[in-house]
Amino acid sequence: TVIYQTPKDIAFFEKHYFQVHIPLAKKLPGLIKYEINDGQIYSTTGHKSYRVANLFFESMEAMQNAFKSAVGQACAADRKILAPGNEDVQIYYYDTKTV
């Protein structure tokens, strides 16, 4: 899960995100699905976020291997174009289970 704060230049963010970052990320080895928010993000706790993305892999190991790859390293570098500082983005990785 990647949560982006509102960028300083929304037009640049949108163009780069859709024309460069998403196509690059879709090349990650083992990526099953890539989802983003569709429309405004609402928070019951008062947090404000601009874009949320969820990337799905078969396992934690598959995800870790994907981000160790050349494409994964390129994605990490490209993310810094979209969100230069750590305060501009939150990134979480975790296993899930059905309950």
Side-chain angles (χ1 to χ4, degrees):
T1 300
V2 181
I3 304 170
Y4 292 97
Q5 300 309 308
T6 303
K8 291 179 178 76
D9 185 339
I10 291 173
F12 170 80
F13 180 96
E14 287 294 296
K15 183 176 181 181
H16 188 89
Y17 190 71
F18 284 97
Q19 293 181 2
V20 177
H21 194 73
I22 289 175
L24 179 62
K26 284 188 166 187
K27 295 177 183 175
L28 285 164
L31 180 68
I32 296 171
K33 182 168 62 168
Y34 189 129
E35 294 180 334
I36 63 168
N37 62 297
D38 184 20
Q40 187 173 352
I41 299 168
Y42 300 94
S43 169
T44 61
T45 56
H47 293 90
K48 296 186 189 267
S49 300
Y50 179 74
R51 173 77 62 212
V52 175
N54 291 298
L55 284 74
F56 297 85
F57 294 86
E58 186 66 34
S59 66
M60 179 69 74
E61 181 181 12
M63 186 268 313
Q64 289 170 331
N65 289 335
F67 283 100
K68 288 178 187 174
S69 73
V71 173
Q73 295 301 304
C75 285
D78 189 65
R79 187 280 298 171
K80 292 189 178 193
I81 294 171
L82 293 168
N86 287 339
E87 68 279 359
D88 300 321
V89 65
Q90 297 172 38
I91 301 173
Y92 301 95
Y93 58 97
Y94 47 88
D95 278 323
T96 62
K97 65 180 176 180
T98 302
V99 295

